[in-house]
Amino acid sequence: MPADTLTRFVDTKLIALQARAGRLTVLTPRRVGLRPQDMPYAPSPAHFGAANRRLATIARSIRRRSGALERVWRDKTPNQKLTAMALLDRDVDRTRRTFGMLFEIFCQRGSSFAPALAAHDVIAADCYAAVRAALPDVFEGPLLKPLTYMEHGYSPATQRRGVALARLLGDSNPFPVIRIPWDRDNPWQSVFLHEVAHNLQADMRLWHENADALANRLVRMRFDPLVVTIYRRWHKEIFADLAALLLGGTASAWGMMEFLAHPEARALTYRPGSVHPTGWFRALILTEMMRRMGFPESAQKAERVWRQLYNPGHGHRLPPALLAATAHVIPAVVDEIAYQPRRNLGQHALADAIPFTRADEAAIRRGGIAIAAGRVPPLPPRFLVSASRFALESGGDPTRIARLVIHHLARLHRHDPVSGRGHAPRASAHPVAA
């Protein structure tokens, strides 16, 4: 191929690459398709601002790399030019991936799912508000609240603030995002509180402190090394389960058990390397937490149900050492994670950071009766998750419950002080702010 033809070919590739490089640098409500009627459910201006700052950072990297490349372009061989363009293209790909992920999340606020997403934003923000009310200094300054979105998948999931994401080529998300499966947007999903709790754990900087404290406790108690290793690997999911109970009371335990109730072959099978506790143990951890919270009757009922469903004596695929340790290790695990002081909590325990009382439980149960009767009780948003479940359990109509509670919470979202749209209504006992 003649040199001038080759040169034009490579030069044209660079021109096309540079033309793509600057196209995806800004996200606005209008650009993601939000109409005026969608704005009450939209992400806050602060979320758009965080997204655009991330895109601007990548754009600056692209401009620097592109400018440096142009200065030495003529001195490079064709293959050197291809290498340089490959590195530039990687930054363009970073922009495309970040823009695409955030576009998909933001544009859902213009769909029929927008009220449910706004409602779940309010629930998540209220969970943060509960911690701030109990321990005002535990978070270092203001935090952007988690943002929810719909996606495929069996269960809710979260991507924590600042965590490196493979889908973004190692870049981090600028704020927590919580995935809700398309069919799990109803207000009684206790698993949602579990996902919010993962974000609380990260933002309270308890990830490593809890893991080390738990492992040291079990070593001191002379448990089998296999047991210590497994529970250390499970610590994040156990923390989220226990925090969900403190956020929502006993209904959270029952809701999580519903989520975990699978055929025996799954509930009694240990998965090597999994960070999720095997279902058999996980429900027993929940019932132990109910006991520690002061609800022994509920704990006894829940454990009876679980043991009627599953009996390892009839066959299981569980490590013998893990099964043998159950009666002694579970109380120790619950005590260490939920009731022992942590330096990052100012020498308070998780149960101090998210206090939950018998009066809270009683209010939630009364709230369930009200919801079943078609009234929204004056409860904090996080408690409405559990009250909705009690309403469902009492025979309330699922569609009516969902419509009533989602509409109420979505209305609170319009007045969310974090998003700069006024003040939270008095119906919430806690400010809706992260």
Side-chain angles (χ1 to χ4, degrees):
M1 177 181 293
D4 59 341
T5 304
L6 175 59
T7 299
R8 283 198 303 272
F9 173 80
V10 178
D11 288 352
T12 302
K13 177 178 173 64
L14 177 62
I15 293 170
L17 176 59
Q18 289 175 323
R20 287 192 288 117
R23 293 189 60 199
L24 307 176
T25 56
V26 177
L27 281 164
T28 64
R30 183 173 181 177
R31 193 170 194 187
V32 302
L34 299 185
R35 303 157 298 177
Q37 62 264 38
D38 302 323
M39 295 311 294
Y41 313 118
S44 72
H47 285 94
F48 275 99
N52 287 325
R53 285 191 296 275
R54 176 56 52 82
L55 290 170
T57 298
I58 304 173
R60 286 193 294 270
S61 176
I62 290 173
R63 288 195 296 269
R64 285 194 301 268
R65 190 180 293 278
S66 182
L69 177 59
E70 288 178 350
R71 287 191 293 272
V72 297
W73 184 252
R74 291 185 178 181
D75 300 327
K76 290 183 175 292
T77 67
N79 270 292
Q80 287 173 332
K81 292 178 179 179
L82 291 176
T83 299
M85 282 190 286
L87 294 172
L88 177 59
D89 192 35
R90 184 188 183 280
D91 278 349
V92 175
D93 192 20
R94 289 170 59 204
T95 301
R96 179 170 57 247
R97 288 167 179 257
T98 299
F99 183 94
M101 183 186 82
L102 295 172
F103 186 100
E104 292 169 6
I105 292 172
F106 289 175
C107 75
Q108 290 185 1
R109 301 309 174 101
S111 73
S112 62
F113 290 93
L117 292 172
H120 283 82
D121 286 355
V122 171
I123 294 168
D126 186 57
C127 293
Y128 275 76
V131 175
R132 284 196 186 276
L135 298 177
D137 300 323
V138 72
F139 299 124
E140 294 181 350
L143 294 172
L144 268 180
K145 65 183 180 182
L147 200 64
T148 56
Y149 71 105
M150 311 294 292
E151 197 178 62
H152 65 278
Y154 177 75
S155 68
T158 194
Q159 295 166 349
R160 307 183 311 279
R161 189 188 318 274
V163 69
L165 301 178
R167 70 182 292 185
L168 300 184
L169 297 181
D171 282 350
S172 60
N173 56 319
F175 42 79
V177 292
I178 301 176
R179 178 188 78 192
I180 301 175
W182 293 105
D183 59 341
R184 290 190 184 274
D185 59 331
N186 290 312
W188 52 77
Q189 304 286 347
S190 304
V191 188
F192 182 74
L193 297 180
H194 168 99
E195 297 304 330
V196 177
H198 277 309
N199 291 290
L200 288 173
Q201 183 180 18
D203 287 334
M204 290 190 290
R205 307 183 307 282
L206 294 176
W207 219 258
H208 300 294
E209 188 178 4
N210 261 333
D212 293 342
L214 179 60
N216 291 337
R217 169 87 171 258
L218 300 186
V219 167
R220 289 196 305 270
M221 294 180 70
R222 300 183 182 280
F223 282 103
D224 186 292
L226 176 65
V227 175
V228 176
T229 299
I230 290 172
Y231 273 96
R232 192 184 199 283
R233 189 169 66 245
W234 287 350
H235 80 95
K236 290 179 289 189
E237 298 299 327
I238 295 174
F239 175 98
D241 282 353
L242 303 187
L245 265 71
L246 292 169
L247 291 167
T250 63
S252 291
W254 287 104
M256 288 296 299
M257 286 172 60
E258 289 170 8
F259 182 76
L260 297 168
H262 297 292
E264 285 182 308
R266 177 171 175 177
L268 293 171
T269 295
Y270 170 74
R271 294 180 60 193
S274 175
V275 298
H276 292 87
T278 306
W280 163 250
F281 302 107
R282 195 168 177 179
L284 296 180
I285 293 169
L286 294 170
T287 61
E288 175 62 23
M289 183 61 177
M290 281 195 282
R291 289 190 190 92
R292 288 300 305 266
M293 291 172 65
F295 305 106
E297 303 89 353
S298 295
Q300 186 178 22
K301 289 179 182 178
E303 184 167 347
R304 185 183 306 120
V305 166
W306 204 247
R307 291 186 181 277
Q308 287 174 342
L309 283 174
Y310 308 110
N311 184 351
H314 297 161
H316 63 82
R317 301 187 188 98
L318 306 171
L322 190 63
L323 184 59
T326 300
H328 299 290
V329 73
I330 286 179
V333 168
V334 169
D335 179 74
E336 188 59 47
I337 292 179
Y339 291 95
Q340 291 301 311
R342 294 285 176 262
R343 294 187 66 184
N344 281 332
L345 293 180
Q347 299 300 341
H348 289 275
L350 177 63
D352 301 320
I354 313 174
F356 189 89
T357 67
R358 293 187 69 86
D360 293 329
E361 177 75 7
I364 288 171
R365 290 179 178 272
R366 290 194 301 270
I369 296 171
I371 291 173
R375 303 188 308 275
V376 178
L379 291 173
R382 67 188 187 278
F383 286 177
L384 289 175
V385 177
S386 298
S388 297
R389 191 199 174 277
F390 282 129
L392 187 70
E393 184 182 52
S394 70
D397 177 71
T399 302
R400 186 181 180 192
I401 293 170
R403 185 182 299 117
L404 178 72
V405 177
I406 292 298
H407 175 77
H408 168 73
L409 291 172
R411 184 171 61 86
L412 296 185
H413 187 271
R414 302 178 189 180
H415 304 277
D416 184 346
V418 173
S419 54
R421 286 193 287 268
H423 301 282
R426 296 184 182 275
S428 173
H430 297 277
V432 183

